[in-house]
Amino acid sequence: MSTTATTTSTTRPGPLPSLRMRVLRHVRSPLVWTWLLGTVFMMALANHFTQSAFDRALLDDAYAIASHLRADDEGEVALQLTDSELKAALFDQAEYVYYAVYRSDGSQLAGEPLPLLPWDESEPVSYRETLYNGQLVRAVALRSAVGEQQLSIVMMHTTRVRDSLIQHLFLYAAIPQLTLLVLLLWWLHHRIGQDMAPLAALQRSLSRRDAQDLAPIPPSAPATTREIEQLRQTTNALLARIADNVEAQREFAGNVAHEVRTPLAGIKALADYGLGHADPAVQQQQLQRISDSVARASHLVDQLLLLALSDEASAVQLAPVAAAEQVQQAVLRHWDAASRARIDLGAEGLDTAEAEQLRIAADANLLAAMLDNLILNALRYGGQSVTVALQAADDGGSVELAVIDDGPGMSEEQCQAAMQRWQQGPSGQSLGQGAGLGLAIVAKLAHLQQARFQLAPRSEGPGLRASLVFSAVQNRAPGEP
């Protein structure tokens, strides 16, 4: 029995190019293509004008031959040039020049036996390129009438000088342009590197930074572009948010360690005391006290978690919330606790049709937590009556949710102090309950929802009025569910 092992190799991507090289690549390609197209266009233009100049010289030679064609008295046409005059007229130091004169019937009148080419008879002058004696030549055919005869003067000229001139034009024009292109690419590479220097400095600063260092990144070099400076500022903003979150976590951990240690120690002491007594009545009493302590510790942990959530959140998503429904549900959640404590818990402002249509801009879950904190405080430290009131402003721009009790109340200064963390009013200090976080949590959550939280003595009689003022949103249309 044989076992075949298959090795799967994962192809790793190669190293990514640097931003400088990517930018230079994007710039280099258009520049090279521009140089190539410019060179091709320049060569085509140079070839056109060079060809035109040589064609004009070739045509002048044809006209010179045509000007010496004469007809005698009998109508016979002859070339009135001696051999020496013909050589002087067609002399060229670097090229070979050939000529021929043909009658209309194709017979040759003078010159060399040049091949007959397919000329355009409708044009007085025609140009062609062809091979003659193994060489590339440029030919021109000139139609001319001498007497009553139609003649064709054909001139052929080799193209060595023309080709050499075009090559020199290419070298003298393309090579300097290529040199300028290389210098331009080098300059771009240097300038792009200078512009990217702050980005590289930012990268080095972040790579050398310790994980615990959340201080802002200072500008190591003058910013060359707005985008790089914005990147540094955005990174600093992110570091600031991370530092705030880390600080909130440290504070939360410290709060938990500080506040939970005491109830846990009390629970252990109660359990040890109950275990040390054989009397069932004492054990039952201690179990009840342990249950109460666990409930208080659980409430404290919930408060600490809610406080940590409010510290970490920078904004919440607000949506239309039915204010009357939230008040009604909050009262129902605490109805049993109020009944056991023989406290009259009720609501006001919910029985009208207008109240059912009220909508506020809030987060439903956070609003429920705020109402729970205010109602629990009122049940714990208030008197014998707690009322949750719902009221809209006269202009319809805001809605107030207020928790009102008839307890001993507090002064204006004590109300302001009670909204700070770890601060309790006189009733809380005397009862020894709570941690002084509830009102601070409500104030923080109200700020997150762009609402106002106010704690003040009642205007009529003893007690406190804790009110939440939210912005009202468009009411629903009649008949809308």
Side-chain angles (χ1 to χ4, degrees), residues 80-382:
Q80 304 296 322
L81 281 176
T82 64
D83 291 339
S84 59
E85 291 174 341
L86 187 60
K87 290 181 180 180
L90 302 180
F91 175 76
D92 193 301
Q93 187 176 1
E95 299 285 7
Y96 291 101
V97 181
Y98 309 99
Y99 86 98
V101 180
Y102 293 96
R103 299 182 182 88
S104 58
D105 57 3
S107 59
Q108 186 172 2
L109 177 65
E112 301 186 24
L114 301 179
L116 293 175
L117 300 177
W119 305 105
D120 188 358
E121 299 295 337
S122 62
E123 296 291 335
V125 178
S126 298
Y127 294 95
R128 291 286 186 277
E129 284 193 359
T130 186
L131 289 175
Y132 181 68
N133 290 338
Q135 293 180 313
L136 181 65
V137 294
R138 181 72 171 173
V140 62
L142 173 65
R143 258 71 66 183
S144 177
V146 179
E148 296 181 356
Q149 294 192 33
Q150 294 292 329
L151 302 176
S152 295
I153 298 93
V154 177
M155 299 292 302
M156 289 187 178
H157 199 293
T158 55
T159 60
R160 290 194 299 269
V161 174
R162 184 197 68 178
D163 295 342
S164 176
L165 179 60
I166 293 176
Q167 291 175 2
H168 282 81
L169 286 175
F170 173 77
L171 293 177
Y172 293 146
I175 291 180
Q177 288 187 6
L178 181 60
T179 304
L180 291 177
L181 177 62
V182 173
L183 292 177
L184 178 60
L185 290 175
W186 174 85
W187 181 83
L188 286 174
H189 185 275
H190 178 68
R191 289 300 303 170
I192 292 173
Q194 288 183 338
D195 290 339
M196 294 296 178
L199 186 60
L202 177 61
Q203 178 188 0
R204 290 192 299 270
S205 176
L206 291 176
S207 61
R208 293 195 300 262
R209 177 168 293 219
D210 186 78
Q212 303 297 326
D213 186 5
L214 298 176
I217 301 172
S220 58
T224 56
T225 62
R226 181 174 62 254
E227 290 77 11
I228 294 179
E229 179 62 19
Q230 288 177 348
L231 176 60
R232 187 185 68 83
Q233 295 176 359
T234 303
T235 305
N236 285 339
L238 176 61
L239 291 176
R241 291 196 297 271
I242 295 176
D244 292 341
N245 289 338
V246 170
E247 182 63 27
Q249 292 174 3
R250 290 174 179 172
E251 183 177 355
F252 173 74
N255 292 339
V256 170
H258 179 270
E259 296 299 325
V260 177
R261 184 186 300 114
T262 300
L264 289 179
I267 292 173
K268 184 178 185 302
L270 291 173
D272 291 341
Y273 184 80
L275 291 174
H277 290 75
D279 186 357
V282 175
Q283 293 181 351
Q284 183 67 25
Q285 183 183 19
Q286 295 303 102
L287 287 175
Q288 182 61 44
R289 290 180 178 177
I290 290 174
S291 178
D292 295 340
S293 297
V294 169
R296 287 194 296 272
S298 177
H299 175 70
L300 176 60
V301 171
D302 291 340
Q303 294 287 77
L304 290 173
L305 289 174
L306 190 57
L307 181 63
L309 175 64
S310 64
D311 285 337
E312 292 182 3
S314 58
V316 296
Q317 188 68 31
L318 303 182
V321 176
E325 181 180 352
Q326 288 290 325
V327 171
Q328 184 179 14
Q329 292 178 358
V331 171
L332 292 177
R333 283 196 299 272
H334 300 280
W335 182 265
D336 291 339
S339 299
R340 289 193 300 267
R342 299 181 182 277
I343 297 176
D344 182 16
L345 176 60
E348 289 183 358
L350 306 183
D351 299 333
T352 63
E354 291 78 7
E356 296 181 357
Q357 303 296 328
L358 291 177
R359 298 291 182 273
I360 59 176
D363 182 280
N365 294 327
L366 298 183
L367 177 57
M370 297 163 70
L371 291 175
D372 287 343
N373 270 288
L374 295 179
I375 295 176
L376 284 175
N377 274 351
L379 292 177
R380 181 178 297 170
Y381 308 121

